[in-house]
Every structure is written in structure tokens, then in C-alpha cells.
Amino acid sequence: MSESKKALATFHVNGEPHEVAFAPHKTLLEVLREEMNLTGTKHGCELGECGTCTVQVDGVPILSCLSLAVDAVGKDVRTVEGLAQGSELTPLQHCMADLGAAQCGYCTPGVLMAADALLKHNAKPSRDDIKEALAGNLCRCTGYLKIFEAVELAAARMRGEKAEPSKESIYGS
Amino acid sequence: MLRLPTFTYHRPKTATEAVAIACQHGKAAMYVAGGTDLYPNMKRRHQTPTQVISLQDVPGLHSIDWLPDGRCAIGAMVKLSALEHDAKVKAAHPAFAHAVREISTPLLRNMGTIGGNLLLDTRCTYYDQTHEWRESIDFCMKKDGAICWVAPGSPRCWAVQSSDTVPLVCAMEAEVELVGLDGVRTIKAGDLYRDDGIQYLTKKPEELLTRLILPAPKGWKASYLKLRRRDTYDFPVLGVGACVWTDAAGTVTKANIRLGGAGSYAIPATASEKLLVGNKLTDELVAAAGSEAMKPARTMDNTDLDVYWRRKVAPVYVARALMACR
Ligand SMILES: Cc1cc2nc3c(=O)[nH]c(=O)nc-3n(C[C@H](O)[C@H](O)[C@H](O)COP(=O)(O)OP(=O)(O)OC[C@H]3O[C@@H](n4cnc5c(N)ncnc54)[C@H](O)[C@@H]3O)c2cc1C
Ligand code: SF4
Ligand code: FES
Ligand code: FES
């Protein structure tokens, strides 16, 4: 692809084809937000230092601010907009909301995409597994604890367990 | 938004084609693997290639191969996350798998490659800033300027070697395979680097790094220990790679210690190494070898954490790294 010339390509985002024209230096983050109006994916540092731009490409969580859009053509791109089925939130989204794991919410799309990828291949993650999977997602509000608890609760519910949040995580100790 | 400058994007299908494109465009061309070093640098206008050559379609760079003699040949494009989770690599080279796991964050390791990590740009507080930041105090000699802000009287740049794997693979005497116009050559990993913050590599710009070759895991033990502020994200401000060869009686026959994050290349702690050879790794010897590492740790005030403290803890980190080689 030559300099600043836009080329047309078809992206597969959240299971739907999107035909977009963009130049080779455009990041996946820019194309998602500015060409497809998928503004759920946030931009923070744009240098790999915060994780709020996390999306999944072929199931793997990566940073869209450091990926070229052209490299995502032909791949399965998932963004936060693709989690809920219609108006039905995923268990992870429910738990994040119920447990106060999203405060200002700016980190939340990235956290959701990283945690969703974890839960897809690890049905029973330990606290350490969750910490590790989210070690590239900064949150300046929650102090992380509520996020970890939300992921644990979601994992339990996804395993079919009748799990409820602990009293401490809702009312404090 | 911090945006990338414009460029023409190439995706060659062979190594020869990649090298040919790089030669054709000279300084205007750069290779890209995972882009986790190059793209931030381009966004901050440290590196502004108008021709970006992606190696993702070049065959032969994506596999981990075990050679008949027990060596492990890792393709340059193998992702860091693939390496850290590879059961065979973890079993045969635990120190290496650990060093890889210490790099950045899981999200970045899903993108970054081992080749890109070996060739990571050197870093400095006055350099790893946006174009506007650097312009406001006037540019330094690593990019666009004439002065070094860390050592204003210095004729050279002291930007810091910051890859986590480099000190270790140098200590392990691993090899790297390079492909250039004249074909393939294999050199010791240690010979890939030079003590200069700007020209930190000895390879020609168009030379492609194709494989990292780890020695057969026999007769030696290695370790890597990293100092940084946070347990994730942060580059090493001290990274000790150690490798110790012993005979059947446990006597050290050879020892390599390399200090990363302490200068523009992985600095050998020669005096510490000398103390070890011919002796057993007793607590006393390990402590003594550690003390000798303060001098070669030429820390400058151009990374995170206090410069004097970083030098002071070098002996502790070297001693701990040696303990892990027992
Ligand atoms: C927030 C953040 C934190 C980080 N923390 C760490 C850390 O703690 N430790 C650490 O070591 N690194 C860290 N990194 C740097 C980086 O993510 C890794 O070093 C990574 O391995 C680089 O690999 P890459 O494939 O992304 O390299 P790229 O950016 O693709 O390339 C890096 C350089 O190597 C050249 N290159 C790449 N592959 C080849 C090849 N095969 N042949 C010839 N030239 C090649 C490129 O031209 C470029 O100059 C961090 C980065 C970020 C953004
Ligand atoms: S060491 Fe000096 S010349 Fe090198 S990047 Fe830092 S300020 Fe610039
Ligand atoms: S915006 Fe991508 S990591 Fe911060
Ligand atoms: S909820 Fe505000 S940054 Fe995480």
C-alpha cells in the first residue's frame, strides 16, 4: 500500500463486514473509531502504556493503538460493542456493573476485552491468573479489587454456579 | 491523537525480497515485526521511515525448532507470549522464559516478537518523549539535536540498553542469524551490540535478523533478574543476566554476567566473573562477586529510579542472580 493513498478493504468486526477506505498508516484504533464510528474502544496514551484500546483479533487481546488497520483485514476483530447479544449483556458485563468495577468507565472497554479473552480459555481463573491477564490495563478509579472480584463472579456464573457477590464487596468490610 | 506519520507499507513474501526493498530505500526504510517499539517511536517522531517493511509474511521466521544437537532456534517473528507459554522452552530454558515474561504486559507480549526485542531501540528520559516535549527543551543528539542532556559535555549518547532478553542471551552465549545481501551469517549475540546509545547495533541496517539460537541446555545454569518500579509495563532499570558453567564437582569453569539497563549495551561484569572461575558458588563467593559489580554499572540519570541507588543495588542483584544459578 503506498503512502497516504486510501484503499478500500473489508473488515470483519463483531461478526459483520464493514467496507472502509483508509491509508496504510492508520491504526486499527483510528479506523474503528473514526471510520466505523465504533467509539466504544477508547484512546488513552496511544503508546501501549494504558490498555484502554484493547480489542481482540482472532480471539487474542491486543492493543489497537499499536496495530495497523491493514493488518487486521481478513481477521476476526472483536470490540466491546460486540460483547452483548442485542440488549443482553454478558455475565462479565453484568458483574462489572453490579460490583462497581466500572467507575469513570474509561478503562472498562479494554478491561472487558482482556478479561473476556481470559474467560474464553480459562473457565476457573485464580486471582493471580486474573491479575496477570489484566496486567496491561490501567485503571485509575477502582483500585482493581472490584474488577478482580467481578471477573471471579462472572467466571463462577459462567460455570453455572449460583454465585452471589460477597457482602464485603458490596457494602465494604 | 498521537498519529503515525505517513509511509508506504510493504509485505514481502521472502527474506530476499525484504532485504532488496530495504536496500533500495536505504535510510528511508525500516523493518517492522510487532511494532510495539517502532510504532511508538514513529508516533513520537524518533524514527520516521517512509518505507515500512513488515516481516509477517516472510516464511521461516515463525517457528521454534529444536536442532539435533539440542540447540533451540527461535524464529525472529515468534511472539513473546508464544515463547513464555511454550512448554519445551520453559522446561529447557527457564531463565529465558522468565526473562520473556518480565517484558512489558501480556497485551504487548501478544504483539511483540523476540526479534524486535533483541533489536529494541535504546531508551532515555530525554528521548522517550513526544516531539513537542523534545522540541521545548531543544532536541538531543540521538534525534535532531547536537547536545546530550544527561551529560552535556559528552560527545556521545548514553541512551540505555533496555531489552530484557539481551543481557541473558549475551550471558548464555546464544547466537543470532542474520540475512543480508551476501547471504546468511551467524554471530554471537554479544557481538550484535556496541557501546553507543545511537549506533547500538553492529549489523547493517538492511540485515534481517532471522533466528535466535539458544545453546543446548547442558553443563550450565542461567538466570535473569529485573529491577523496575512496577511489576508490569516498566522497562528494566537494571537487568542482570547470568550464566555459570560448572564441572561435575560443582566448580565454576566459566561465568558470564551482563548488566542490562546500566549502559548503552549489556555490560560484562568482568571482575565478578573472574572471581568465580575455579571456585564453588559459596554464599561468601557470591557476595564478593556481587560487590565487584558496582563499578561496571555505569548508571546515568536517564531512566526511572535514583541513579546512585541503581548503582548501589547492582551488587545485590548480581548476587541474587548468581544464587539462582546454583
Ligand atoms: C509500554 C511498553 C512497555 C514495554 N516494556 C518492555 C520491557 O519491560 N522490556 C522489554 O524488553 N521491552 C519492553 N517494551 C518494548 C517492546 O514491546 C518489546 O521489546 C518487543 O519485544 C519489541 O518487539 P516488536 O516485535 O514489537 O518490535 P518492533 O517494534 O517491530 O521492532 C523493533 C526494532 O527492531 C527492528 N526489527 C524487528 N524485527 C526485526 C528483524 N527480524 N530483523 C531486523 N530488524 C528487525 C525494527 O525495525 C525496529 O527497529 C515495551 C514497550 C511498550 C510500548
Ligand atoms: S543519553 Fe543524551 S543524547 Fe542520548 S538520548 Fe539521552 S539526552 Fe539524548
Ligand atoms: S491507547 Fe492503546 S495502550 Fe493506551
Ligand atoms: S473506572 Fe475509571 S479508569 Fe477504570
Side-chain angles (χ1 to χ4, degrees):
Chain A
M1 270 178 98
S2 76
E3 192 167 342
S4 48
K5 261 216 201 113
K6 282 192 179 183
L8 207 61
T10 305
F11 280 93
H12 291 271
V13 183
N14 301 324
E16 284 173 16
H18 291 252
E19 200 159 286
V20 204
F22 62 94
H25 67 284
K26 289 292 173 183
T27 62
L28 179 56
L29 176 66
E30 288 168 317
V31 170
L32 285 170
R33 289 181 56 87
E34 296 167 5
E35 306 298 334
M36 301 185 204
N37 288 325
L38 290 170
T39 53
T41 307
K42 298 293 176 245
H43 63 102
C45 64
E46 288 145 27
L47 291 169
E49 293 168 10
C50 74
T52 195
C53 66
T54 306
V55 299
Q56 293 171 7
V57 174
D58 288 344
V60 179
I62 54 116
L63 301 172
S64 60
C65 72
L66 297 183
S67 309
L68 293 188
V70 56
D71 288 340
V73 173
K75 299 193 173 150
D76 173 28
V77 180
R78 300 266 156 186
T79 68
V80 70
E81 288 92 345
L83 288 179
Q85 297 298 312
S87 59
E88 189 51 45
L89 296 180
T90 61
L92 179 63
Q93 287 173 305
H94 266 300
C95 294
M96 292 273 294
D98 291 349
L99 265 63
Q103 290 183 19
C104 81
Y106 208 79
C107 69
T108 310
V111 169
L112 282 169
M113 296 318 285
D116 178 79
L118 169 74
L119 294 178
K120 282 209 173 93
H121 68 83
N122 186 346
K124 206 171 177 187
S126 66
R127 179 63 66 94
D128 280 347
D129 293 338
I130 299 170
K131 277 188 184 169
E132 169 63 20
L134 297 178
N137 297 84
L138 290 187
C139 174
R140 298 293 80 173
C141 302
T142 63
Y144 302 101
L145 196 57
K146 293 198 178 286
I147 297 177
F148 300 152
E149 289 172 347
V151 179
E152 279 165 0
L153 186 64
R157 288 187 179 166
M158 287 163 73
R159 293 192 301 269
E161 293 168 22
K162 271 211 147 356
E164 290 303 324
S166 70
K167 233 171 136 187
E168 292 80 40
S169 65
I170 293 192
Y171 301 110
S173 50
Chain B
M1 292 271 280
L2 275 174
R3 295 187 197 270
L4 288 167
T6 58
F7 54 81
T8 297
Y9 192 52
H10 305 266
R11 276 174 57 167
K13 299 283 178 284
T14 63
T16 320
E17 195 192 333
V19 172
I21 301 170
C23 283
Q24 188 195 337
H25 296 285
K27 282 200 171 110
M30 279 186 85
Y31 294 120
V32 69
T36 63
D37 179 42
L38 183 67
Y39 293 147
N41 278 354
M42 287 176 71
K43 286 185 173 189
R44 294 181 298 223
R45 306 300 190 264
H46 297 138
Q47 290 165 331
T48 46
T50 57
Q51 311 291 322
V52 174
I53 310 165
S54 168
L55 304 174
Q56 63 188 289
D57 298 334
V58 176
L61 305 185
H62 297 78
S63 61
I64 303 173
D65 297 312
W66 295 86
L67 308 181
D69 61 5
R71 290 181 301 159
C72 176
I74 304 169
M77 290 297 284
V78 172
K79 295 265 195 290
L80 300 173
S81 55
L83 273 176
E84 70 175 292
H85 294 120
D86 187 280
K88 231 175 144 185
V89 170
K90 277 203 292 196
H93 297 288
F96 177 73
H98 168 73
V100 168
R101 209 181 154 81
E102 292 280 279
I103 297 166
S104 63
T105 72
L107 302 169
L108 283 157
R109 295 198 296 278
N110 283 340
M111 309 169 74
T113 64
I114 186 63
N117 190 249
L118 293 172
L119 301 174
L120 178 72
D121 194 8
T122 52
R123 298 181 61 83
C124 169
T125 320
Y126 294 89
Y127 172 73
D128 292 293
Q129 305 288 351
T130 58
H131 188 266
E132 293 72 18
W133 190 102
R134 290 182 292 124
E135 191 175 32
S136 70
I137 59 161
D138 202 3
F139 299 104
C140 77
M141 73 169 84
K142 185 155 159 77
K143 177 68 177 153
D144 299 330
I147 194 173
C148 170
W149 288 115
V150 180
S154 167
R156 62 163 281 191
C157 163
W158 297 90
V160 177
Q161 183 291 119
S162 301
S163 155
D164 280 301
T165 61
V166 167
L168 179 66
V169 300
C170 290
M172 285 165 69
E173 300 187 355
E175 294 171 310
V176 290
E177 187 184 86
L178 302 165
V179 171
L181 276 180
D182 306 327
V184 187
R185 67 187 180 110
T186 304
I187 60 170
K188 275 192 175 179
D191 293 336
L192 183 57
Y193 307 99
R194 63 158 68 111
D195 186 9
D196 186 282
I198 298 171
Q199 301 294 337
Y200 61 97
L201 296 172
T202 57
K203 78 169 190 69
K204 296 194 192 95
E206 78 278 6
E207 271 182 311
L208 198 64
L209 195 157
T210 45
R211 298 199 296 178
L212 166 70
I213 303 162
L214 302 180
K218 217 175 153 217
W220 53 267
K221 208 169 163 195
S223 70
Y224 179 71
L225 204 67
K226 174 175 184 174
L227 170 68
R228 55 175 162 179
R229 188 180 293 268
R230 300 174 291 183
D231 266 349
T232 177
Y233 278 107
D234 293 338
F235 286 90
V237 291
L238 181 65
V240 179
C243 190
V244 177
W245 285 257
T246 44
D247 63 16
T251 305
V252 177
T253 53
K254 183 162 75 169
N256 289 330
I257 302 165
R258 295 287 179 277
L259 308 176
S264 297
Y265 76 127
I267 303 170
T270 320
S272 309
E273 295 168 357
K274 274 204 184 121
L275 270 186
L276 301 176
V277 178
N279 296 302
K280 292 205 160 83
L281 283 181
T282 59
D283 291 356
E284 295 72 30
L285 183 68
V286 162
S291 317
E292 293 292 333
M294 178 110 81
K295 210 159 155 215
R298 288 188 316 228
T299 51
M300 306 276 278
D301 197 7
N302 58 350
T303 70
D304 190 14
L305 300 180
D306 180 80
V307 54
Y308 300 108
W309 185 75
R310 277 163 52 220
R311 194 172 302 165
K312 251 166 106 175
V313 295
V316 180
Y317 271 67
V318 167
R320 286 185 193 162
L322 288 173
M323 290 291 229
C325 289
R326 291 210 284 202

